Amino acid sequence: MIYSAIAAILVLSGNVVAPPPNESTIDNPCRAVFSSHPIFPTLSSSLFEIIGEINMANYSAEILKTTLTTPAYIPEDALGRYDLDSMHVPNLPLWEERDNVNVTVNDMEWFLRQAYRDISIHIIFVTEALREQTSSGVARLLVLEFTDVRRFFYNLLCKMDTLIKSRGISLTDYEDESVLPAVFSVRRREVMRFMKHYVHAKDVMTFLTNLKPGFVQLFDEVQGSLP
């Protein structure tokens, strides 16, 4: 009984809604067509902007998580009873500290590719969570909070896309909604859905916190090489 309740918290169900025209997409997050001779920002500027976007995305996820801890969403006794801080959303990358080891400017293609992939997966999950808000028909929605998280993730992906193109790296394979876990239980109780969102917001913060040091390491290397 307890297991099924916990499992229900982590279900992400339904079909992902395609973005409206002219919105950012994973394969074109900047909504732009690069010219044959684009002018890119310096590596130092790109890394600095990426770090800033990571901070903003993390802050938006923190607002979402804090909102969910209010009694209007998750009762205080439920937070302790289910130990939500020890749970994780299936298939959602958390990024391990070891993924940042030995990141250097001369050998960072693997790092940029992995970061782009994992940020894309997070966007897919947030888009699904946002779809759930707009189709659930309940009063206590989290549309604004999830919209902000999604917007800052796309801002981050756009900066990543610009940096990747500036390095002459070509991306051809992009993640899609197939990364979402299969539905293994369906629960309609609001409190269960809110607990799922809490775990989601927490995992977003963990991912961004773990991702940031790699870019800081690259930025410090570039700054240290300047005359």
mmCIF file of all heavy atoms in Angstrom, residues 21 53 104-105 137 158:
data_model
loop_
_atom_site.group_PDB
_atom_site.id
_atom_site.type_symbol
_atom_site.label_atom_id
_atom_site.label_comp_id
_atom_site.label_asym_id
_atom_site.label_seq_id
_atom_site.Cartn_x
_atom_site.Cartn_y
_atom_site.Cartn_z
ATOM 1 N N PRO A 21 3.833 27.385 -32.604
ATOM 2 C CA PRO A 21 4.804 27.921 -33.562
ATOM 3 C C PRO A 21 5.593 29.074 -32.957
ATOM 4 O O PRO A 21 5.086 29.837 -32.149
ATOM 5 C CB PRO A 21 3.917 28.393 -34.727
ATOM 6 C CG PRO A 21 2.667 27.589 -34.605
ATOM 7 C CD PRO A 21 2.467 27.365 -33.129
ATOM 8 N N GLU A 53 22.498 31.586 -16.273
ATOM 9 C CA GLU A 53 21.226 30.928 -16.584
ATOM 10 C C GLU A 53 20.993 29.713 -15.686
ATOM 11 O O GLU A 53 19.854 29.406 -15.322
ATOM 12 C CB GLU A 53 21.189 30.511 -18.055
ATOM 13 C CG GLU A 53 21.195 31.663 -19.044
ATOM 14 C CD GLU A 53 19.969 32.562 -18.939
ATOM 15 O OE1 GLU A 53 18.985 32.180 -18.267
ATOM 16 O OE2 GLU A 53 19.995 33.661 -19.529
ATOM 17 N N THR A 104 38.221 20.332 -19.436
ATOM 18 C CA THR A 104 39.158 21.361 -19.866
ATOM 19 C C THR A 104 38.663 21.975 -21.166
ATOM 20 O O THR A 104 37.865 21.371 -21.893
ATOM 21 C CB THR A 104 40.567 20.781 -20.096
ATOM 22 O OG1 THR A 104 40.523 19.861 -21.195
ATOM 23 C CG2 THR A 104 41.083 20.071 -18.849
ATOM 24 N N VAL A 105 39.146 23.157 -21.461
ATOM 25 C CA VAL A 105 38.733 23.856 -22.671
ATOM 26 C C VAL A 105 39.113 23.061 -23.916
ATOM 27 O O VAL A 105 38.364 23.014 -24.897
ATOM 28 C CB VAL A 105 39.355 25.267 -22.718
ATOM 29 C CG1 VAL A 105 39.121 25.926 -24.073
ATOM 30 C CG2 VAL A 105 38.777 26.131 -21.598
ATOM 31 N N GLY A 137 -7.697 20.624 -14.664
ATOM 32 C CA GLY A 137 -8.992 21.168 -14.292
ATOM 33 C C GLY A 137 -9.180 21.387 -12.801
ATOM 34 O O GLY A 137 -10.309 21.440 -12.312
ATOM 35 N N CYS A 158 19.594 27.614 -24.920
ATOM 36 C CA CYS A 158 19.965 28.535 -25.997
ATOM 37 C C CYS A 158 21.425 28.957 -25.860
ATOM 38 O O CYS A 158 22.175 28.971 -26.845
ATOM 39 C CB CYS A 158 19.049 29.756 -25.981
ATOM 40 S SG CYS A 158 19.490 31.025 -27.194
#
